[in-house]
Amino acid sequence: MSLVSVEHVSFNYTRDRRVLDDVSLSIRTGASIGLVGESGSGKTTLLRLLLGLTRPTAGRIRFGEAELDPGNGAFMRDYRRQVQAVFQDPYSSLDPRQNVLGIVGEPLRSLGIPGDRRALVEAALVSVGLEPGILGRYPHEFSGGQRQRIAIARAIVAKPKLLLADEAVSALDLSTRIRIVELLKRLAAEMTLVFVSHDLGVVAALCDEIVILERGRIVEAGATRKILADPQHPYTRTLLDSVPRMPA
Amino acid sequence: MTTLDALAPHRRDHSLSLWIGLILVGLHVAVALLSLVWTPYDPTAMAGGRLEPPSLTHWAGTDRLGRDFFTQIMIGSRIALIVGIGAVAIGAAIGVTLGMLAAFASRLLDDALAATLDILIAFPTLLIAMLVVAASDTASLGSAILALGIALSAIVARLTRILAKRVLVMDYITAARTSGTSWIGIVFRHVLPNIWPTLSVNFALQFGLAVIAEASLSYLGLGAPPPNASWGRLLQEAQGTVYTAPIGAVAPGIALVSLVIGVNLLADGLRDIGDPTRRLAR
Amino acid sequence: MSLLSIENLSLAAADIPLVSRLSFAIAPGERLGLIGESGSGKSLTAMAATGLLPRAITASGSVRLGGQQVIGAADRVLDGLRGTVSAFVFQEPLTALDPLMRVGRQVAEPLRRRTRRDGRDLDGDALMREVHALLEQVALPQPDRIARSYPHEISGGQRQRVAIAMALACRPQLLIADEPTTALDVTTQAEILKLLDGLVRERGMALLFISHDLPVVAEVVDRVVVLKKGIAVEEGPVAEVFGAPKDEYTRSLVAAARAFDAALEGTP
């Protein structure tokens, strides 16, 4: 069953520059999809559309039966509860003046989710591999990897169905990166994941399906194993060949 | 990606400025409070000869009407604090609201607001204040405070707008939006706390501006009317006798400068105490 | 004799040690990779090598660049070394270029300084011809158009090519590249790495390549030093260090890099 479907979506900031061009995509419940593209591919714009931060110029995005409408407050409240995000830069995605309880508890507070907020936040921290005792501490006291774990805890605290990650590991060091990928992989077993990245290696390690975007268009989509083994589009081949590998 | 930011030259030690600021401001507040219940002499009564030099009976001498000058300065402290706090409070209320609106507004409204603010700022604070006072026919302490508050609000608004815009592009604002936080929530939970340190230091600066501007208004005869012994009026009265009795100009001058410096040092020190990123940085 | 020889280099800010007793050397024409994650001190080491350290950082030990002691040397001496012996390519090409100066003029500046040093004072057309030649060497298309552009008018990859052209204009014996491809797209990264590799080989330049990315380093250098929190934990030829890492930290890095490779091969 399709959780979110993107139907013939186009987006342009100005009339002459089309960022997304007739993009259609079905996100099945339980899938883990890698949206792969380079700068100018429109992957970040697609993510913003999925988050309801911007409206498509043409086409529509459906969530279950309803159409995603950023202007509809009641709908968005439910949508935000089901769809959460992790961003690229763990140094800019955490408010430096909020403590961990405030940061991770924000969706609970803002979406009016009932329950013991403190307990829910502690549970979220534990499930991303952090100590529950850090509630009173501030972002600058943590390393990049720990910050990204806090950001992931914020995204899962409301128990969403869909987790959207925007280059969520590319700002991290290699040894941290692999641990966060493992964490996301574990989470992806319980929810639907859309992972936006330019890094095919990370996507290959994390996602079952890959969608390749080039200049606002989907050039290839399918099962990860199939695309890696037998890329059809020349751009996919270039992308694959460009990834630096370890010497044998 | 390098950690060089953290290696920038070490931050100045702020505890000293905090203490000096605390002492200077504390002194003025204490004197202002004391003046409500006790002054050495009745501020309006002739307490000695005219233009007496400082002595044990009159610590700062007497003015040309024979009133005790130290008493006048004490009352001046009270007026200065009321003017400074009042004007900054009004300026902050109007300015932060306008600036925040501009930062969140559509491009067109923002441009219009920004242009208006730029024009307002081009006028000297004192000139705007004089216009407001002139418009409200009776000169009173209240109208002077209101005038200064309005004049300061343009500066506050512009600063708020710029600072807020810088915060609004951060990922944690996007994260707040996707967490379902309303615009009001974003303003109070994320934007204000993050721009507060810079704003508060600016408020201290404007407190000083307001106190000096009020003194200038009084000096020009546009401030609070007698018997309000504002430092500006004391300076004005001392003008004629500055060569024969310099204490009349020096004493209110010292009072004015010490309060302005004190407030600025205090704000600097307080900013660092209230900032979790500075407090715990190694 | 070594072009760059670092012996027992220690760097500290106030009382916090950043780099401890680091030693390595680069011979003319040799290509060395300095591997480290954030906070390893790898960028600071590169800055120390050319005397570009911020004032707040104290250095001890010895850094000899082109035979000249760098630590404690006067700015006048260092100015003579930078550009003639070594040249720098930074991570972020947008901030490394002057946003208000056309690309052609930015490349012309180091070029003019170098030709003057060689006893040739180029001007006007002759200078511009050499600028174009340099832009062609870094494989920039339409060098005329690029030379007339401002940095924000060209792509990130093109900006990094311009930065490389500026470094080449100095004809340095040692090129220091600090994460030069980290800010770039994968396909652009592949092109820039190929370009750097070709240029360094062709000109017999020595290369100090700084990066956190193991496979990237492997593409352009022969030998690596692995830094962890300011301490060199392992050093040796790429094949040896990446093939059979001895240190535990190096092992974890190599394992992580190989895990992503394996995922790409479809053999997780």
Side-chain angles (χ1 to χ4, degrees):
Chain A
M1 198 197 87
S2 182
L3 180 65
V4 175
S5 51
V6 178
E7 296 171 357
H8 303 289
V9 162
S10 294
F11 185 83
N12 29 302
Y13 287 102
T14 56
R15 205 164 300 164
D16 51 327
R17 224 177 68 81
R18 182 151 279 199
V19 182
L20 284 176
D21 191 1
D22 194 21
V23 169
S24 293
L25 176 68
S26 166
I27 301 167
R28 282 176 304 100
T29 302
S32 61
I33 301 178
L35 278 181
V36 178
E38 300 191 289
S39 45
S41 64
K43 60 183 194 299
T44 303
T45 305
L46 183 54
L47 190 92
R48 287 184 63 83
L49 291 172
L50 283 171
L51 283 170
L53 296 171
T54 326
R55 287 168 193 273
T57 318
R60 59 178 187 161
I61 295 173
R62 279 197 303 120
F63 177 62
E65 291 306 305
E67 182 172 342
L68 172 58
D69 175 12
N72 180 344
F75 172 82
M76 285 314 288
R77 181 172 286 266
D78 178 52
Y79 188 73
R80 299 244 177 271
R81 196 171 165 167
Q82 311 294 349
V83 180
Q84 287 283 320
V86 181
F87 299 91
Q88 171 172 10
D89 182 1
Y91 285 85
S92 131
S93 72
L94 307 183
D95 186 337
R97 272 159 222 288
Q98 298 249 325
N99 63 17
V100 173
L101 177 61
I103 291 169
V104 178
E106 182 158 17
L108 299 176
R109 174 201 299 266
S110 296
L111 295 167
I113 292 171
D116 181 353
R117 196 181 299 155
R118 206 184 167 87
L120 288 170
V121 168
E122 282 178 343
L125 290 175
V126 170
S127 63
V128 298
L130 289 169
E131 297 279 321
I134 59 170
L135 291 181
R137 290 166 66 187
Y138 287 86
H140 70 271
E141 300 174 58
F142 298 96
S143 69
Q146 289 171 319
R147 280 162 173 253
Q148 200 59 306
R149 284 177 197 269
I150 294 171
I152 294 172
R154 169 176 59 195
I156 62 167
V157 75
K159 304 197 170 58
K161 287 189 183 137
L162 174 60
L163 186 62
L164 299 171
D166 184 11
E167 298 275 12
V169 301
S170 45
L172 304 175
D173 282 326
L174 185 60
S175 49
T176 317
R177 188 181 301 177
I178 195 142
R179 277 186 296 242
I180 298 292
V181 166
E182 279 160 9
L183 168 63
L184 286 171
K185 194 162 186 166
R186 190 157 55 72
L187 294 174
E190 297 155 27
M191 55 187 91
T192 311
L193 174 73
V194 172
F195 188 86
V196 176
S197 179
H198 71 283
D199 190 333
L200 264 175
V202 170
V203 170
L206 187 57
C207 302
D208 306 328
E209 289 172 54
I210 293 185
V211 174
I212 310 261
L213 276 167
E214 187 197 16
R215 272 177 271 142
R217 286 177 162 275
I218 293 180
V219 297
E220 191 162 359
T224 303
R225 215 170 325 146
K226 200 167 141 278
I227 288 186
L228 293 180
D230 185 21
Q232 297 299 309
H233 196 275
Y235 178 70
T236 313
R237 280 197 287 272
T238 312
L239 215 50
L240 260 172
D241 290 342
S242 300
V243 180
R245 314 284 174 102
M246 292 290 279
Chain B
M1 280 299 120
T2 323
T3 41
L4 287 179
D5 293 350
L7 306 172
H10 277 276
R11 291 198 190 92
R12 191 152 64 86
D13 183 13
H14 282 277
S15 57
L16 186 67
S17 59
L18 178 68
W19 279 111
I20 298 176
L22 213 55
I23 289 167
L24 285 177
V25 174
L27 217 60
H28 277 281
V29 171
V31 166
L33 288 176
L34 183 64
S35 78
L36 288 171
V37 292
W38 177 85
T39 49
Y41 297 91
D42 181 344
T44 53
M46 259 186 66
R50 294 176 176 195
L51 295 175
E52 275 181 28
S55 64
L56 278 176
T57 45
H58 296 290
W59 297 342
T62 57
D63 70 3
R64 62 198 158 95
L65 297 174
R67 294 174 300 196
D68 180 57
F69 205 60
F70 191 77
T71 303
Q72 309 267 337
I73 300 226
M74 280 177 72
I75 291 175
S77 256
R78 191 166 82 210
I79 293 173
L81 284 171
I82 292 172
V83 167
I85 293 169
V88 168
I90 293 171
I94 302 176
V96 171
T97 311
L98 272 182
M100 211 57 97
L101 277 176
F104 276 89
S106 65
R107 179 81 176 273
L108 204 69
L109 182 61
D110 177 31
D111 285 352
L113 272 170
T116 315
L117 293 176
D118 283 347
I119 294 170
L120 279 177
I121 287 167
F123 287 98
T125 310
L126 191 58
L127 189 63
I128 299 181
M130 281 167 68
L131 290 172
V132 176
V133 170
S136 67
D137 11 278
T138 54
S140 72
L141 193 60
S143 64
I145 291 172
L146 182 67
L148 291 169
I150 291 172
L152 292 179
S153 66
I155 305 173
V156 177
R158 187 162 76 162
L159 184 69
T160 304
R161 172 179 167 271
I162 294 169
L163 293 172
K165 285 198 147 208
R166 215 180 288 162
V167 170
L168 286 178
V169 299
M170 302 297 283
D171 281 347
Y172 58 78
I173 298 298
T174 314
R177 287 180 66 190
T178 61
S179 297
T181 307
S182 63
W183 288 111
I184 300 288
I186 286 177
V187 168
F188 284 99
R189 289 180 58 78
H190 299 289
V191 182
L192 274 179
N194 276 287
I195 69 175
W196 184 252
T198 316
L199 272 187
S200 64
V201 171
N202 198 261
F203 289 154
L205 222 67
Q206 293 181 334
F207 179 97
L209 271 180
V211 171
I212 292 169
E214 192 280 332
S216 311
L217 280 179
S218 295
Y219 186 83
L220 294 170
L222 291 169
N228 290 310
S230 137
W231 292 332
R233 207 166 52 74
L234 298 183
L235 282 168
Q236 183 205 21
E237 285 172 0
Q239 198 183 17
T241 55
V242 68
Y243 295 110
T244 48
I247 184 77
V250 172
I254 290 176
L256 184 65
V257 169
S258 65
L259 177 60
V260 171
I261 290 178
V263 168
N264 279 294
L265 290 177
L266 184 63
D268 246 17
L270 285 179
R271 176 191 57 184
D272 293 351
I273 285 185
D275 185 343
T277 62
R278 286 179 191 236
R279 187 177 54 213
L280 290 158
R282 39 167 202 191
Chain C
M1 198 198 73
S2 293
L3 199 53
L4 172 67
S5 116
I6 292 182
E7 272 167 51
N8 276 327
L9 175 69
S10 294
L11 303 174
D15 298 331
I16 307 154
L18 302 166
V19 170
S20 309
R21 302 180 68 80
L22 177 66
S23 300
F24 65 84
I26 301 178
E30 195 187 6
R31 301 178 302 162
L32 178 81
L34 198 55
I35 293 176
E37 304 198 311
S38 48
S40 64
K42 59 188 190 301
S43 295
L44 281 176
T45 304
M47 297 181 103
T50 51
L52 286 170
L53 281 178
R55 235 172 261 286
I57 292 176
T58 50
S60 65
S62 158
V63 173
R64 297 185 80 84
L65 180 63
Q68 166 71 47
Q69 180 58 248
V70 170
I71 292 179
D75 272 342
R76 196 172 34 80
V77 178
L78 293 173
D79 283 344
L81 291 175
R82 296 180 199 134
T84 61
V85 181
S86 68
F88 233 112
V89 177
F90 295 95
Q91 173 177 353
E92 183 39 79
L94 189 56
T95 52
L97 298 178
D98 183 338
L100 296 179
M101 202 191 275
R102 288 182 203 276
V103 163
R105 272 190 58 204
Q106 302 204 40
V107 179
E109 264 188 29
L111 185 64
R112 182 187 287 145
R113 265 199 305 278
R114 195 258 303 164
T115 52
R116 210 171 267 164
R117 195 174 77 214
D118 296 348
R120 270 187 319 144
D121 210 349
L122 289 182
D123 59 344
D125 288 347
L127 189 65
M128 264 345 208
R129 265 198 303 281
E130 296 242 352
V131 167
H132 285 193
L134 270 170
L135 294 179
E136 269 168 23
Q137 283 165 33
V138 294
L140 275 166
Q142 300 173 284
D144 284 320
R145 184 183 63 84
I146 301 273
R148 278 196 310 271
S149 308
Y150 287 98
H152 71 270
E153 296 172 325
I154 59 180
S155 73
Q158 289 172 334
R159 281 194 287 266
Q160 198 57 299
R161 285 172 196 273
V162 170
I164 294 171
M166 287 171 68
L168 291 182
C170 307
R171 291 223 181 122
Q173 295 163 273
L174 170 67
L175 184 65
I176 302 176
D178 187 359
E179 302 259 13
T181 61
T182 307
L184 304 176
D185 276 328
V186 191
T187 49
T188 318
Q189 165 170 281
E191 290 164 20
I192 295 285
L193 288 177
K194 211 170 130 201
L195 173 74
L196 266 180
D197 190 52
L199 287 170
V200 169
R201 277 176 201 282
E202 211 171 274
R203 294 166 184 238
M205 268 188 290
L207 176 68
L208 176 58
F209 192 95
I210 295 150
S211 178
H212 69 284
D213 197 328
L214 275 63
V216 166
V217 175
E219 298 215 345
V220 285
V221 306
D222 315 310
R223 207 157 57 83
V224 292
V225 174
V226 182
L227 268 186
K228 181 194 180 189
K229 289 183 185 152
I231 296 168
V233 293
E234 190 155 357
E235 183 185 353
V238 170
E240 239 168 70
V241 174
F242 288 5
K246 291 186 194 72
D247 178 77
E248 194 185 338
Y249 176 69
T250 318
R251 268 205 295 276
S252 75
L253 290 182
V254 170
R258 291 213 187 276
F260 289 121
D261 273 10
L264 277 175
E265 301 305 328
T267 55

